[in-house]
């Protein structure tokens, strides 16, 4: 009876966490992009700006995590040589940044800097920089410059950043669209990319396999809906390609570092396949190996992995229930990779029998089977791309589940014989 109650409570808890992921606070954006762009006129200009240029600047990936996806800027080239970079996506590690980040309060800023200073910075970081001139008439240039100057005023500098919907690239995209009178958006929305946000981000995340594992685990179905080209422009590189296609232009390379590897050679899917094979080997060894030393080594390695997953899943529970990180909401990974793995850690560390691991493995495998059936029956509803995590955890859970099942049948068979003897 206790075992049944334990299973029911466990299933209820996991489903409750999954279903209850919601934003506890609705945050207002202090400077919404499209709404403020409506205040500006991109048609009836009054200034002669023939000597001015507005360039889209694309900066390739860097070494720091927050530079993995690259960067986008707008450069205003003037007739007096005082060219200016306008950058969205600035943030400071001071003034409670880490606490705000933890709760999803991502307040970023726009800043204006002399072009030569920004270029020197990118050169020091050894990052490839490309430029393309936006094909705008004088009225459009005037509207863009007026808006940029308006946005860098102290009361307008801050906006609510979002990884996919409101970042350095989407802010520039919105400006280009406003200057085009909405034609840029209408053109891009008519083009379906056939990929999701997760797919588009994969080659950048794969620069760091650990970071890729963490992000792919934490992100839920929010990033798994197919995108049109306008949505895909959350990535600077895609924005640059779209602008070139739209206005039939070609980017000019300002500086290049051929020594930098932009993308990893091992994709996430291959990484998870390798981890699954290793996980199966270690799990089988800890459950069935007769060599005590080898079994102990396998248990210690798995103990560290289970501790990592228990901590990571606790972070996911926190993000799902108490923060504004909406990319984590309704994340099905929590159903079979969750803080209960601390039990796996404790039992593996102690090197004892696999009894608790076996029972929990049976529970998780049952949940995984049910959710896979639902994904198969309703693919348009259960869209989260997390089969790699199913594969990884199944490879670890199955040996423990088999061990527990064999133990149960042996004990049950022994009890039957005792009854017959009586």
């Amino acid at each position: 009876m206790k075992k049944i109650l334990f299973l029911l409570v466990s299933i209820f808890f996991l489903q409750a966490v999954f279903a209850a992921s919601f934003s506890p606070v609705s945050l207002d954006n202090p400077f919404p992009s499209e709404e403020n762009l409506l205040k500006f006129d991109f048609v009836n200009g009054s200034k002669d700006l023939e000597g001015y240029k507005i360039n889209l600047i694309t900066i390739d990936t860097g070494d720091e995590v927050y530079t993995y996806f690259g960067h986008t800027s707008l450069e205003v080239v003037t007739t007096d040589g005082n060219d200016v970079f306008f950058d969205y996506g600035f943030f400071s590690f001071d003034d409670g940044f880490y606490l705000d980040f933890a709760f999803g309060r991502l307040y970023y800023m726009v800043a204006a800097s002399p072009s030569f200073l920004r270029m020197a910075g990118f050169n020091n970081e050894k990052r490839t920089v490309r430029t393309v001139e936006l094909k705008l008439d004088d009225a459009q240039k005037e509207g863009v410059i007026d808006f940029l100057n308006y946005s860098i005023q102290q009361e307008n500098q801050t906006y609510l950043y979002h990884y996919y919907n409101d970042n350095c690239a989407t802010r520039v995209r919105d400006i280009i669209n406003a200057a085009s009178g909405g034609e840029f958006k209408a053109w891009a929305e008519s083009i379906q990319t056939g990929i999701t946000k997760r797919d588009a981000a994969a080659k950048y995340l794969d620069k760091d396999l650990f970071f890729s594992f963490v992000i792919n685990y934490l992100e839920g179905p929010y990033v798994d809906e197919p995108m049109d080209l306008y949505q895909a422009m959350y990535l600077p590189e895609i924005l640059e390609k779209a602008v070139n296609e739209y206005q039939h232009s070609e980017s000019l390379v300002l500086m290049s570092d051929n020594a930098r590897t932009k993308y990893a050679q091992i994709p996430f899917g291959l990484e998870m396949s390798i981890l699954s094979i290793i996980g199966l080997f270690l799990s089988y060894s800890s459950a069935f190996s007769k060599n005590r030393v080898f079994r102990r080594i396998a248990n210690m390695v798995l103990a560290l992995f289970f501790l990592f997953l228990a901590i990571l899943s606790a972070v996911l529970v926190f993000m799902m229930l108490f923060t504004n990180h909406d990319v984590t909401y309704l994340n099905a990974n929590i159903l079979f990779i969750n803080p209960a793995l601390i039990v796996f850690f404790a039992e593996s560390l102690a090197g004892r029998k696999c009894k608790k691991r076996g029972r929990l493995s049976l529970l998780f495998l049952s949940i995984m089977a049910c959710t896979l059936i639902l994904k198969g029956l309703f693919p348009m509803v259960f869209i989260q791309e997390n089969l790699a995590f199913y594969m990884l955890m199944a490879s670890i859970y199955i040996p423990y589940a088999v061990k527990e099942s064999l133990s149960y049948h042996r004990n049950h068979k022994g009890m039957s014989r005792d009854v017959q003897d009586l």
Side-chain angles (χ1 to χ4, degrees):
M1 185 66 182
K2 289 182 179 179
K3 293 179 182 179
I4 296 175
L5 182 62
F6 169 76
L7 291 176
L8 291 175
V9 170
S10 300
I11 292 172
F12 175 78
F13 170 77
L14 294 174
Q15 290 179 338
V17 169
F18 172 73
S21 56
F22 62 94
S23 175
V25 179
S26 179
L27 298 178
D28 292 328
N29 194 335
F31 193 79
S33 179
E34 293 181 320
E35 181 180 318
N36 280 279
L37 280 164
L38 293 174
K39 302 175 183 177
F40 291 83
D41 187 356
F42 297 90
V43 178
N44 303 303
S46 59
K47 298 178 181 177
D48 180 9
L49 298 176
E50 185 177 351
Y52 283 67
K53 296 180 181 179
I54 297 180
N55 296 330
L56 173 68
I57 306 294
T58 304
I59 302 94
D60 274 350
T61 179
D63 292 327
E64 303 294 336
V65 169
Y66 55 83
T67 68
Y68 279 2
F69 295 96
H71 182 58
T72 293
S73 298
L74 281 180
E75 181 189 30
V76 176
V77 179
T78 64
T79 55
D80 58 8
N82 295 319
D83 306 337
V84 181
F85 265 48
F86 291 85
D87 293 279
Y88 290 90
F90 271 87
F91 61 90
S92 171
F93 288 110
D94 300 327
D95 302 324
F97 171 82
Y98 292 105
L99 183 62
D100 283 340
F101 182 84
F103 282 92
R105 301 188 292 261
L106 308 178
Y107 292 111
Y108 282 27
M109 297 175 293
V110 58
S113 312
S115 293
F116 72 92
L117 286 180
R118 291 296 284 150
M119 289 298 292
F122 295 135
N123 184 48
N124 290 336
E125 295 173 5
K126 294 182 169 42
R127 297 171 70 179
T128 297
V129 181
R130 295 182 299 276
T131 182
V132 58
E133 181 183 351
L134 298 180
K135 295 182 179 180
L136 307 174
D137 59 31
D138 284 359
Q140 292 170 324
K141 292 176 187 177
E142 183 178 339
V144 170
I145 293 172
D146 287 346
F147 176 78
L148 291 172
N149 287 327
Y150 175 74
S151 65
I152 62 173
Q153 295 177 15
Q154 187 172 0
E155 63 271 20
N156 302 326
Q157 282 184 313
T158 303
Y159 69 99
L160 187 62
Y161 178 93
H162 189 281
Y163 311 103
Y164 300 103
N165 299 338
D166 206 341
N167 61 24
C168 67
T170 65
R171 288 263 156 172
V172 171
R173 175 203 67 186
D174 292 345
I175 294 171
I176 296 172
N177 178 60
S180 73
E183 292 181 3
F184 184 55
K185 182 176 183 179
W187 167 79
E189 286 184 334
S190 68
I191 302 173
Q192 294 301 316
T193 64
I195 60 174
T196 66
K197 295 181 178 71
R198 191 190 301 271
D199 295 332
K203 67 178 181 180
Y204 303 95
L205 289 175
D206 287 347
K207 282 171 57 69
D208 185 328
L209 295 179
F210 174 80
F211 186 64
S212 179
F213 182 97
V214 170
I215 295 301
N216 274 287
Y217 169 75
L218 292 176
E219 290 186 321
Y222 183 94
V223 300
D224 293 320
E225 296 180 357
M227 299 182 296
D228 58 46
L229 183 57
Y230 199 70
Q231 293 170 311
M233 289 184 216
Y234 80 88
L235 289 168
E237 190 174 16
I238 293 181
L239 172 61
E240 177 195 20
K241 291 178 180 178
V243 167
N244 279 328
E245 184 177 350
Y246 175 73
Q247 63 178 24
H248 306 289
S249 57
E250 187 175 344
S251 297
L252 173 68
V253 178
L254 296 180
M255 62 177 65
S256 178
D257 178 32
N258 295 324
R260 179 187 298 281
T261 301
K262 289 177 62 176
Y263 313 125
Q265 301 300 312
I266 303 178
F268 178 69
L270 179 57
E271 172 199 10
M272 293 296 281
S273 297
I274 295 172
L275 283 177
S276 298
I277 295 171
I278 295 173
L280 177 62
F281 176 74
L282 291 174
S283 180
Y284 179 85
S285 299
S286 69
F288 293 102
S289 178
K290 295 181 180 179
N291 187 309
R292 294 180 60 184
V293 175
F294 194 72
R295 187 171 66 248
R296 184 60 177 166
I297 293 173
N299 273 320
M300 291 302 295
V301 174
L302 285 171
L304 294 175
F305 185 60
F306 292 140
L307 178 61
F308 164 70
L309 290 182
I311 294 172
L312 183 62
S313 60
V315 171
L316 177 57
V317 170
F318 171 76
M319 295 177 76
M320 290 172 71
L321 297 180
F322 305 111
T323 78
N324 290 283
H325 292 285
D326 57 355
V327 297
T328 66
Y329 299 164
L330 299 176
N331 191 331
N333 289 331
I334 200 63
L335 297 176
F336 55 91
I337 306 176
N338 53 64
L341 287 173
I342 199 69
V343 175
F344 284 70
F345 162 72
E347 196 172 67
S348 298
L349 190 65
R352 297 171 182 169
K353 296 180 180 180
C354 307
K355 193 171 184 179
K356 293 179 181 178
R357 281 176 286 179
R359 292 175 179 174
L360 282 173
S361 292
L362 285 169
L363 170 64
F364 291 147
L365 286 171
S366 299
I367 292 174
M368 291 165 69
C370 291
T371 53
L372 280 173
I373 291 172
L374 289 173
K375 286 171 75 74
L377 293 174
F378 308 101
M380 302 304 294
V381 177
F382 299 94
I383 62 173
Q384 185 172 345
E385 297 178 19
N386 59 345
L387 291 179
F389 287 99
Y390 277 89
M391 175 179 64
L392 172 63
M393 299 314 296
S395 69
I396 294 174
Y397 291 149
I398 286 175
Y400 293 131
V402 171
K403 177 81 169 181
E404 176 61 19
S405 298
L406 292 174
S407 177
Y408 172 81
H409 286 298
R410 281 196 301 267
N411 293 336
H412 184 71
K413 189 175 182 180
M415 290 175 62
S416 298
R417 288 176 179 173
D418 291 340
V419 171
Q420 290 176 2
D421 292 340
L422 290 174

